């Protein structure tokens, strides 16, 4: 399948990462995929997300990528993040096995809570897996400046995640000769 | 007509939709069309809009697309939406038959009103049709996060609706060799 | 000269206009022009501006385009406009004959002042021409929603006026094979 | 090496500059560079920055470019700048010889401090060089409007500095035929 090979080979990795004492946190947009119908119209196939990756520290400036945990923010969850004021907080719950027979067995929750002195936020991911009987908790302190980068970058990425950037890619669209 | 066929085939459908108990609401930009004059200059032909589509619910997670109602926000109405504070509200009135012999027979009004507890908004469309003697009212509760997505996406889309994104599409424009 | 012909023919006219009782006001970005040096590097030639055009009314929904007056906002003046709060005001002074022998003979001033009830702004242009012994004054009331469109559109256009959108036009820039 | 020649020749110079009595200040984004792996995936190579250049005045409207001093803001430092309120301030410290044998010998610090009357900011660069026994200090007053241009332009440039604008450059990415 040429299209999917083409997709794979054009993947670009440009995460925004913050490395802290106990864990690192990395944000990277995942673009939506599209299907071209026989009519020529293009419809969205799989929605884009903002992927958050938490990685526990192994030691000084070393991180254990084998133990990374992921949480994929939807467009609406990105909307929560970019509309947070300096004292706001938010929490999201995901069930990766939703609609399957394992529904309810794994519970992921992401929380963003401000520091008491407004100097930044704690971004924390908790993963409770009832099948493997495991419970992970990873938390990363994020400064106001780092959070501003995340908000600006997420605001930029949001229309791309939603596929709205496609609106202007066909440069001849809507042009009529006289 | 090749141009208009070309336009149709390049249409992209990437609505932002929220599905609630009594109705669903979907936002999708409609780009402007342009005309190229004999001089080579390009002028805007039909202005773009932000199309809002309301669909009543038929039952759980089922919506009656046959009964959808539309309201096309102009650039200035999009300006009202994106400049709304958390306690603001706005209302727009459209007459789809304006300037025709049926003027005044159909009256559409869209209102955006905040929840009393600031937890979001009600977006409601009322369509009164004096010819068909019908009166439709569709209302969708929108959370703060969903409204933030709409504001960010509408801010992104506004220059596209206005045609200002065309300003940079001719990449050789304004370039002089030495 | 092929380049300048090419430039003229690719011009796009997409003004944002508000038509009011005594005058109309129209905003339209003017992109910068560039020069390619022998080294291949590209430098900015003439800076871009946000062109404001005021046109007096002749009668109901008719405007006298022969009597239009223009004021070209610089990047920094656009910065003033987009950073205005709901009660702020600003005023700019231009001398179109600056640095010529007619310096000081024509004085243009643009002012933006909020309505007393915060429901919008007055945007006014005064042109005093000591050579022709003329004095023109054109003023347009602008609603909060219209001003929000102007701010969003000007924020979008500002990097284009500054030429910063050129940063990413050469898509192979900065790419190294392994 | 063709790629790097290509990079040099496509460089574009579009600084935003403010010229004041004692010094000038110029902002110009430096884009990241990328490496294409054998797998076809593209990874970021060298991160982008927002380059700030301070130049001391020689006399009226003359600046001594031989004595320019530079400070390259990282994405997170750009985040600090764009999230500054009208009364906030910030200071960054760089050691250009960090991780080399000269570490600690040159100390650069950039500070942004608001005027007492909130009419703008002082942006100041101090460079202390213990090897050359020199100490430079350059300070430029920046108006609120100029700072608004810098914030808007930096917000626009931030995703480009981070490489996130690459996400949509391959226009066929994620497209599947039916």
């Amino acid at each position: 399948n040429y299209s999917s090979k083409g997709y794979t080979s054009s993947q670009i990795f440009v995460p925004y990462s913050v490395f802290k004492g106990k864990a690192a946190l990395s944000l990277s947009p995942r673009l939506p995929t599209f299907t071209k119908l026989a009519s020529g119209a293009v419809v969205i196939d799989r929605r884009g997300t903002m992927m958050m990756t938490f990685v526990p520290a192994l030691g000084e400036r070393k991180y254990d990528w084998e133990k990374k945990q992921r949480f994929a923010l939807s467009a609406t969850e990105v909307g929560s993040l970019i509309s947070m004021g300096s004292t706001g907080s938010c929490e999201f719950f995901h069930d990766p096995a939703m609609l399957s027979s394992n529904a309810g067995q794994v519970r992921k929750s992401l929380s963003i809570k401000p520091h008491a002195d407004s100097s930044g936020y704690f971004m924390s991911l908790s993963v409770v897996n009832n099948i493997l009987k495991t419970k992970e908790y990873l938390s990363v302190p994020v400064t106001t400046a780092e959070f501003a980068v995340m908000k600006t970058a997420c605001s930029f990425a949001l229309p791309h995640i939603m596929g709205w950037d496609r609106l202007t890619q066909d440069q001849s669209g809507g042009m009529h000769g006289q």
Side-chain angles (χ1 to χ4, degrees), chain A:
Chain A
N1 181 308
Y2 176 79
S3 308
S4 52
K5 270 203 300 183
Y7 179 61
T8 306
S9 71
S10 70
Q11 252 182 308
I12 294 198
F13 298 95
V14 284
Y16 175 65
S17 307
V18 295
F19 297 96
K20 300 295 167 83
K22 294 193 177 162
L25 166 60
S26 169
L27 258 78
S28 192
R30 291 286 176 275
L31 295 177
T33 56
F34 298 89
T35 297
K36 192 168 199 162
L37 304 180
S39 70
V42 171
V43 296
I44 206 161
D45 197 37
R46 195 186 60 202
R47 301 208 159 261
T49 60
M50 181 62 63
M51 184 62 78
M52 303 183 80
T53 306
F54 287 78
V55 193
L58 267 176
E60 212 186 327
R61 296 185 192 211
K62 283 186 183 156
Y63 296 90
D64 188 354
W65 291 89
E66 301 283 312
K67 291 199 175 156
K68 70 170 181 278
Q69 294 283 356
R70 292 190 153 168
F71 196 91
L73 296 175
S74 70
T76 299
E77 289 162 343
V78 170
S80 288
L81 188 150
I82 63 181
S83 62
M84 275 180 69
S86 61
T87 57
S89 64
C90 60
E91 187 154 17
F92 309 123
F93 299 94
H94 284 185
D95 176 351
M98 191 175 61
L99 306 179
S100 84
S101 60
N102 282 326
Q105 295 301 300
V106 178
R107 181 182 167 94
K108 291 185 173 191
S109 81
L110 178 88
S111 82
I112 307 179
K113 291 203 170 73
H115 296 162
D117 63 356
S118 291
S119 67
Y121 298 84
F122 276 110
M123 302 183 86
S124 312
L125 178 62
S126 144
V127 183
V128 178
N129 189 320
N130 288 332
I131 303 169
L132 304 175
K133 309 287 181 206
T134 56
K135 202 170 169 175
E136 307 279 346
Y137 180 77
L138 292 163
S139 186
V140 174
V142 168
T143 66
T144 303
E146 288 160 350
F147 197 66
V149 173
M150 291 180 188
K151 281 174 90 163
T152 300
C154 284
S155 296
F156 172 83
L158 183 55
H160 298 274
I161 284 174
M162 297 167 68
W164 284 28
D165 61 315
R166 295 278 161 154
L167 290 167
T168 46
Q169 289 198 348
D170 183 351
Q171 307 199 357
S172 63
M175 181 69 74
H176 301 265
Q178 207 183 33

